[in-house]
Amino acid sequence: MKNTSVTFKEAKAKGEKLTMLTAYDYSTAKLLDESGVNSILVGDSLGMVMLGYEDTLSVTMDDMIHHTAAVARGAKNALVIADMPFMSYQTSVYDAVVNAGRLVKEGRAQAVKLEGGLEICDHIKAIVNASIPVCGHIGLTPQSINAFGGFKVQGKCEAAAKRLLDEARAIEEAGAFSVVLECVPAALAKKISELISIPTIGIGAGAGCDGQVLVYQDMLAMYSDFKPKFVKQYANVGDIMKDAFKSYISEVSSGVFPAEEHSFKIDEEIIKKLY
Ligand code: KIV
């Protein structure tokens, strides 16, 4: 069954946990979709895990549209959510609507995700008024890395915990259909999840959220630059890939590959006539 922003809200009402993973290309999106994940996030994490930047700040609208369109072609049932990249919405409400529209129109996203709290609620309202479902994102918001001074757990003191709850409520009030909580203490994320009616999707926010999201290269051990504490590695695909690449290199070097079954035939007489 096709997942939508509406089925997300219904899942919370029924107490069903939601699953979300990132993808940035057609083949991976197809594998995720066939596995039955509720949602595929085309995260701006693509800047780091696909493009090799040290943070997400350099990702452009063109990058996001290009990768979202590839994912959308591979996702039949999963809800495709595209991240709005740094400076595609912070600049004005107008820019936010125009760029959200481009992700839907050109990238075929079914929803967009924006980082930030009270300061972007007007942007969320305007995008929702344009009939584009919005997922919020609070806690550790990587686009604010320079303001935070690093990748740090958010909401640890009373004032910060209260602020996060206020932000979650404001995002719900602005019309978002869900909100990502990143790097938030588990008990705080659970409390926020209980106090708002839209689903919370946690990453480094404990088991009390209504759903979970991970970057797929992290959970498959394919990205070796950095391993956050909250990541569980479900398989070591990085090592499996390296073993396969090494076998290929060795077989090509020794002449084992390609074998006859990988080659095309031609009448020997034709070859004999060539000189
Ligand atoms: O960009 C991304 O992949 C994200 C997730 C980590 C939530 O925003």
Side-chain angles (χ1 to χ4, degrees):
M1 198 185 82
K2 181 69 189 164
N3 288 272
T4 67
S5 58
V6 176
T7 59
F8 254 52
K9 287 198 246 179
E10 288 170 355
K12 172 150 182 159
K14 289 189 228 153
E16 289 168 7
K17 292 275 186 189
L18 289 158
T19 54
M20 184 186 289
L21 285 166
T22 65
Y24 317 93
D25 68 278
Y26 171 78
S27 304
T28 310
K30 223 173 145 197
L31 289 171
L32 289 179
D33 198 70
E34 287 164 3
S35 307
V37 76
N38 293 116
S39 176
I40 301 179
L41 171 67
V42 190
D44 60 356
S45 49
L46 84 85
M48 298 169 77
V49 296
M50 297 296 291
L51 304 178
Y53 297 131
E54 66 181 31
D55 53 41
T56 60
L57 302 180
S58 303
V59 175
T60 65
M61 274 299 297
D62 286 346
D63 291 333
M64 290 308 304
I65 289 169
H66 180 75
H67 288 271
T68 302
V71 166
R73 287 190 284 271
K76 283 199 173 61
N77 295 318
L79 171 68
V80 177
I81 305 177
D83 257 348
M84 298 199 66
F86 185 54
M87 285 300 134
S88 69
Y89 58 97
Q90 291 92 341
T91 42
S92 69
V93 170
Y94 176 83
D95 285 350
V97 177
V98 168
N99 285 319
R102 286 193 68 199
L103 288 165
V104 173
K105 210 170 170 152
E106 299 170 50
R108 306 296 302 174
Q110 287 138 1
V112 298
K113 176 164 82 58
L114 285 72
E115 295 181 8
L118 303 172
E119 73 288 359
I120 56 135
C121 281
D122 285 344
H123 307 59
I124 294 179
K125 273 185 208 153
I127 298 170
V128 171
N129 281 340
S131 300
I132 299 172
V134 172
C135 176
H137 183 161
I138 55 174
L140 172 60
T141 44
Q143 291 178 16
S144 305
I145 192 76
N146 290 324
F148 288 145
F151 290 97
K152 293 177 187 157
V153 177
Q154 301 296 306
K156 284 179 103 169
C157 69
E158 192 180 332
K162 177 78 179 73
R163 194 174 58 247
L164 270 182
L165 174 59
D166 289 346
E167 286 178 343
R169 283 187 162 135
I171 286 168
E172 173 182 19
E173 179 67 28
F177 73 94
S178 66
V179 59
V180 167
L181 304 180
E182 180 164 353
C183 284
V184 173
L188 174 60
K190 183 169 184 287
K191 190 76 186 169
I192 292 174
S193 305
E194 286 163 3
L195 291 175
I196 63 173
S197 67
I198 56 173
T200 57
I201 308 297
I203 176 161
C209 294
D210 303 303
Q212 298 292 328
V213 58
L214 283 177
V215 170
Y216 91 86
Q217 284 93 340
D218 285 342
M219 57 97 75
L220 296 181
M222 293 170 68
Y223 179 72
S224 54
D225 290 5
F226 174 62
K227 180 186 172 297
K229 171 183 158 71
F230 56 75
V231 168
K232 177 171 177 181
Q233 292 181 333
Y234 284 83
N236 200 330
V237 175
D239 278 353
I240 293 172
M241 287 173 80
K242 274 197 272 183
D243 285 347
F245 298 149
K246 283 179 191 162
S247 299
Y248 166 78
I249 291 164
S250 144
E251 289 199 357
V252 170
S253 307
S254 63
V256 170
F257 178 81
E260 227 179 287
E261 68 264 31
H262 309 117
S263 308
F264 301 100
K265 294 199 185 321
I266 186 174
D267 190 334
E268 266 306 311
E269 291 309 310
I270 296 174
I271 299 297
K272 278 186 196 151
K273 284 184 196 151
L274 302 175
Y275 56 89

